[in-house]
Amino acid sequence: MKKIKKSTVFLILLLVCFTSRKSSAQNDSSIDSIIQLNKYTFKIVNNEIIGSGKNYIKKEAKSSQFFMIGELHGNKETPQFTSAILNLLKPEGYNNFAVEIGPFSKKKLISILKQKNGIDSLSKFYRKYNSDDSTNPIPFFDGMDEVNMLQVALTNNYNIWGIDQEFVYGAPFLFDDIFNKINKSKNNSEDYKKLYKKARLVILKYLTMKSKSKFNLLLEDKSISEFISESKGIYKEITTQLVELEKSWKIYAYGNGPTKQYFKSNNSRAIMMKHYFFDYYKKALLDESHPKMILKMGSMHTAYGKKPIGYL
């Protein structure tokens, strides 16, 4: 959020408390009383926030435009909290929800969840593209708490933004979807089908390799390049998707190639996130003059200023 004055005071007071060794018992008592005066508590029951913290969060969010939730991935508490926030802030004008997946993966995920038996369909999707239970094709949304969170967002009619790179292990399902659409325009061409099958086999081969050189191999492989080239230029969305997919692979390759360009990898990813964010934001401006957004991402991406991994 833009400003949390009382929390800032709280943090400053804590800093003073830890750095000063001259505080008397009376001063400690005074600090404790200040903390008590500025403390807000809440609990979550059935995706609703209950307690004194509810009104504080609501008041601060009402005067803000962005509500950011920085998480450590893989816990159930963050999506439960986020579900409650989605319910709480919808009446305050928050209509957009940004998450840490690629825009094309987001589109696939939402299309599956909107089906009649969405959760069952999503389970089948994960079993199909992660048969050995190693790596799911769409990260961070393989637990029921995350799925329930998305359903809360959909029920509240949030516009969901996917503002991250495309996960490299999502390539098989992305290629399948591309093939199924392009093949119809090519009248079920056998030559195109051969290109697709060869490229898909090679992708699976590289993604199951233990060597980190697999990311460079994805970019350099002739079979994959031929399929991508043959698939471009027919549908604008698919052409864009393939261009963005190659950019995502380059981000992986920068950090895992022989030169280990970690800064370039992280910085390129940050630039991509900002690019996607502003694309969605400009679209939101067509419907409202001051779009409000809830963002849930890893804590490395939501900190203000310079990050531990070195980019802004």
Side-chain angles (χ1 to χ4, degrees):
M1 293 183 290
K2 288 194 299 184
K3 49 184 181 179
I4 308 180
K5 295 178 182 176
K6 292 180 180 177
S7 292
T8 303
V9 171
F10 172 71
L11 290 172
I12 292 171
L13 287 170
L14 274 183
L15 183 61
V16 171
C17 180
F18 282 118
T19 55
S20 175
R21 297 296 181 184
K22 300 180 181 179
S23 297
S24 64
Q26 183 178 359
N27 288 337
D28 289 341
S29 176
S30 176
I31 289 174
D32 287 343
S33 65
I34 292 173
I35 290 173
Q36 289 302 317
L37 286 172
N38 290 276
K39 182 179 73 175
Y40 301 91
T41 62
F42 66 87
K43 61 181 178 179
I44 297 171
V45 179
N46 296 325
N47 292 331
E48 297 294 335
I49 293 177
I50 298 173
S52 62
K54 175 180 179 178
N55 290 333
Y56 175 72
I57 293 172
K58 196 172 181 179
K59 177 174 71 73
E60 291 294 329
K62 190 172 184 178
S63 61
S64 301
Q65 186 178 5
F66 305 104
F67 191 104
M68 300 174 71
I69 301 169
E71 69 169 352
L72 295 176
H73 297 307
N75 66 79
K76 66 179 183 178
E77 290 81 10
T78 305
Q80 290 172 355
F81 172 71
T82 306
S83 294
I85 290 295
L86 289 166
N87 282 328
L88 181 67
L89 299 190
K90 182 64 178 181
E92 305 305 321
Y94 285 79
N95 296 314
N96 307 289
F97 179 39
V99 291
E100 193 177 342
I101 55 176
F104 302 102
S105 293
K106 182 273 301 186
K107 185 177 180 180
K108 182 70 172 181
L109 184 60
I110 299 306
S111 70
I112 294 172
L113 285 177
K114 283 185 175 180
Q115 294 175 15
K116 186 177 181 181
N117 298 307
I119 292 178
D120 288 340
S121 297
L122 185 60
S123 295
K124 291 177 182 176
F125 171 76
Y126 280 139
R127 286 196 298 270
K128 179 179 179 180
Y129 290 101
N130 184 20
S131 58
D132 60 352
D133 198 29
S134 56
T135 306
N136 276 322
I138 300 176
F140 313 134
F141 290 94
D142 51 357
M144 278 306 303
D145 294 297
E146 296 281 359
V147 173
N148 289 335
M149 177 194 70
L150 281 180
Q151 290 185 314
V152 169
L154 292 172
T155 300
N156 281 294
N157 294 315
Y158 276 91
N159 302 309
I160 300 176
W161 304 359
I163 62 171
D164 198 7
Q165 68 190 95
E166 292 297 334
F167 191 44
V168 68
Y169 292 94
F173 88 78
L174 291 171
F175 268 41
D176 287 352
D177 287 354
I178 290 167
F179 169 75
N180 290 331
K181 188 167 185 179
I182 295 290
N183 197 39
K184 291 178 182 178
S185 69
K186 292 182 176 289
N187 298 316
N188 298 314
S189 164
E190 285 298 321
D191 289 338
Y192 183 63
K193 188 180 293 186
K194 287 178 182 177
L195 280 178
Y196 154 72
K197 287 184 175 180
K198 191 173 181 181
R200 199 182 188 286
L201 282 172
V202 171
I203 283 176
L204 291 175
K205 173 187 172 184
Y206 292 149
L207 292 182
T208 53
M209 289 174 57
K210 292 184 178 181
S211 171
K212 291 185 177 181
S213 65
K214 58 188 171 187
F215 305 116
N216 285 285
L217 293 172
L218 286 169
L219 290 164
E220 297 166 0
D221 187 87
K222 184 179 178 182
S223 300
I224 295 173
S225 297
E226 286 178 348
F227 175 74
I228 289 175
S229 178
E230 193 65 26
S231 301
K232 287 180 178 178
I234 300 173
Y235 296 105
K236 183 179 179 181
E237 182 181 3
I238 288 179
T239 299
T240 301
Q241 181 177 346
L242 288 166
V243 169
E244 296 302 305
L245 189 59
E246 288 178 298
K247 288 181 184 177
S248 294
W249 289 355
K250 286 180 181 177
I251 290 172
Y252 283 101
Y254 290 146
N256 294 282
T259 55
K260 300 288 188 291
Q261 300 178 72
Y262 299 122
F263 176 83
K264 188 171 184 178
S265 176
N266 288 315
N267 192 55
S268 298
R269 186 180 178 195
I271 290 170
M272 178 176 277
M273 287 178 175
K274 292 173 185 177
H275 168 76
Y276 287 145
F277 172 86
F278 282 113
D279 275 354
Y280 280 110
Y281 188 79
K282 284 185 284 188
K283 290 176 183 176
L285 283 171
L286 298 175
D287 297 320
E288 48 187 334
S289 60
H290 191 66
K292 291 190 169 188
M293 182 205 70
I294 297 167
L295 179 145
K296 173 185 168 292
M297 301 183 79
S299 56
M300 284 290 185
H301 308 299
T302 51
Y304 180 76
K306 192 171 183 178
K307 314 295 187 298
I309 46 180
Y311 60 83
L312 297 176

